[in-house]
Amino acid sequence: QVQLVESGGGLVQAGGSLRLSCAASGRTFGNYAMGWFRQAPGKEREFVAAISWSGSYTYYAEAVKGRFTISRDNAKNTVYLQMNSLKPEDTAVYYCAAEKNMIVVTATPPYWGQGTQVTVSS
């Protein structure tokens, strides 16, 4: 069982930056691939980024490639999402997720945080 708590959301102007954090409980954080998803009002939740358990592999949705960076610190049981050059269309609730399989974490991970709101003003 993994419990996840996101933080770092807020209001930012277009072109600005935010860094989201996701703190995980449990001593087996290093065994899990981690992902970030987002859900905008009236839209389905969508995949944003994923990182392997070691941090060696990362994968991004096309919409954020080149602007967002996912990273992790296994010693701190934390995964990050650095978001640069933010656009109004990035406005959404952002969720982190965990799953041992790197492929599954991009689609149907079993463990989810409660989400953090990111609002980008134009």
Side-chain angles (χ1 to χ4, degrees), residues 1-6 22 24-25 28 32-37 45 95-101 104-105 108-114:
Q1 187 92 12
V2 178
Q3 293 183 327
L4 305 170
V5 179
E6 302 95 335
C22 174
S25 65
T28 59
Y32 286 83
M34 300 295 296
W36 285 97
F37 291 72
R45 186 152 53 187
Y95 300 88
C96 70
E99 155 61 43
K100 291 187 176 182
N101 185 292
V104 175
V105 82
T108 56
Y111 303 111
W112 294 88
Q114 83 290 347

Side-chain angles (χ1 to χ4, degrees), residues 16-94:
S17 298
L18 279 176
R19 188 176 81 156
L20 305 183
S21 300
C22 174
S25 65
R27 295 177 292 176
T28 59
F29 174 74
N31 293 342
Y32 286 83
M34 300 295 296
W36 285 97
F37 291 72
R38 66 186 182 187
Q39 186 167 19
K43 295 187 176 181
E44 293 187 354
R45 186 152 53 187
E46 63 176 1
F47 168 76
V48 174
I51 188 167
S52 62
W53 65 269
S54 66
S56 298
Y57 300 99
T58 57
Y59 181 62
Y60 297 92
E62 285 297 322
V64 306
K65 198 174 292 185
R67 299 188 298 122
F68 290 11
T69 302
I70 188 170
S71 62
R72 67 190 295 161
D73 185 337
N74 287 347
K76 295 182 178 180
N77 281 12
T78 301
V79 63
Y80 305 97
L81 185 68
Q82 177 67 45
M83 305 186 295
N84 298 328
S85 302
L86 283 161
K87 305 175 181 180
E89 51 264 43
D90 294 318
T91 294
V93 177
Y94 283 70

